[in-house]
Amino acid sequence: MSRLLIPLLTGLVGTAVLLWLGQWQLDRLVWKEGILAEIEAKISDAPVALPLEPDPEADKYRAVALTGRFGEGVQRVLDSQKKVGPGYQIVSPFRTEEGRTVLVDRGFVRIETPLTPPPAGTVTVTGNLHWPDDRTSSTPENDLDENIWFARDIPQMAGILETEPTLVVARDVPGSLAVTPLPVTTENIPNDHLQYAVTWFSLAVIWVVMTGYYIYRSRKGLRGKDA
């Protein structure tokens, strides 16, 4: 039996570690679901006035309403939508009645759709403040000569269009028929903790089975030697 003590202890310790990792992922799942619920509540809140000094942490996803006019200039951010295909997210400057100018992501157009100007006159845009993290290590540099952006780099966009470094992702733009709004959602925020938990618990079961099988074979071999 002393020969089986080490594999037995290894099996018990390994199983305990794997079960702990699975439970840790379940705890993380509860935490992440709470965070997502808070974000969704913030997104769907009644729109408020644009903060004087929007904070990327405190004001991210805050619902806002802006009244004013769209300015000249537009930026095209390369994008692709399921069941639709490639296209652009259209970002335009927007000057509020208070005299502030910010960026507004008006929404999506197909890549072959001719770019139409934004609605003329005074309009009220509702949407959410956002500081998107579009750029990864594989994202190309923006093609400023062709006005094709591969990431919504807010400071750079704001510098070119001479606006505040503030982006409002529109959920509704009255009179904008050619552009389909892409409201802010939590769909792209990863939440894989349940899959991770299932993986760890599955590995724990496999570890138990393998340990049991190893001990069974070892005992059978020892009995054969004794015989």
Side-chain angles (χ1 to χ4, degrees):
M1 290 298 295
S2 59
R3 297 183 182 181
L4 303 179
L5 184 59
I6 292 179
L8 179 60
L9 289 175
T10 301
L12 292 174
V13 171
T15 301
V17 170
L18 293 170
L19 290 175
W20 178 83
L21 288 170
Q23 183 59 51
W24 179 69
Q25 287 295 340
L26 288 180
D27 293 339
R28 295 283 293 177
L29 175 63
V30 174
W31 168 80
K32 192 59 170 285
E33 288 178 341
I35 295 293
L36 293 176
E38 290 179 4
I39 293 174
E40 288 171 357
K42 204 170 185 179
I43 290 172
S44 59
D45 273 348
V48 299
L50 184 67
L52 290 177
E53 296 182 3
D55 182 87
E57 294 295 329
D59 294 314
K60 190 173 185 178
Y61 306 115
R62 186 177 302 282
V64 294
L66 314 174
T67 299
R69 293 171 173 264
F70 281 99
E72 295 183 358
V74 68
Q75 293 164 335
R76 304 181 304 171
V77 184
L78 193 64
D79 191 13
S80 182
Q81 295 294 307
K82 292 180 180 179
K83 300 181 181 179
V84 177
Y88 298 108
Q89 287 176 256
I90 305 302
V91 179
S92 298
F94 187 87
R95 186 170 181 80
T96 71
E97 291 182 328
E98 295 76 24
R100 300 171 62 182
T101 306
V102 298
L103 300 167
V104 172
D105 186 332
R106 294 160 50 200
F108 179 84
V109 295
R110 292 174 180 266
I111 203 165
E112 69 274 9
T113 302
L115 190 58
T116 58
T122 301
V123 296
T124 297
V125 175
T126 57
N128 298 86
L129 290 170
H130 197 31
W131 285 264
D133 187 16
D134 294 341
R135 184 168 294 283
T136 67
S137 58
S138 60
T139 303
E141 291 300 317
N142 299 314
D143 188 343
L144 303 185
D145 293 333
E146 296 295 329
N147 190 22
I148 298 177
W149 296 70
F150 299 96
R152 288 172 293 181
D153 293 320
I154 306 306
Q156 188 178 23
M157 289 178 139
I160 292 174
L161 292 179
E162 298 181 348
T163 74
E164 296 180 22
T166 301
L167 175 70
V168 175
V169 178
R171 110 175 42 150
D172 180 53
V173 181
S176 183
L177 301 179
V179 181
T180 303
L182 294 178
V184 174
T185 69
T186 59
E187 291 180 0
N188 294 325
I189 300 177
N191 184 16
D192 301 323
H193 297 295
L194 180 59
Q195 292 92 316
Y196 294 152
V198 171
T199 299
W200 289 121
F201 288 137
S202 298
L203 288 173
V205 172
I206 294 172
W207 193 273
V208 169
V209 172
M210 291 179 62
T211 300
Y213 181 71
Y214 179 83
I215 291 175
Y216 167 76
R217 290 294 301 269
S218 297
R219 291 185 64 184
K220 189 176 180 180
L222 289 173
R223 288 175 181 174
K225 290 181 179 179
D226 294 339

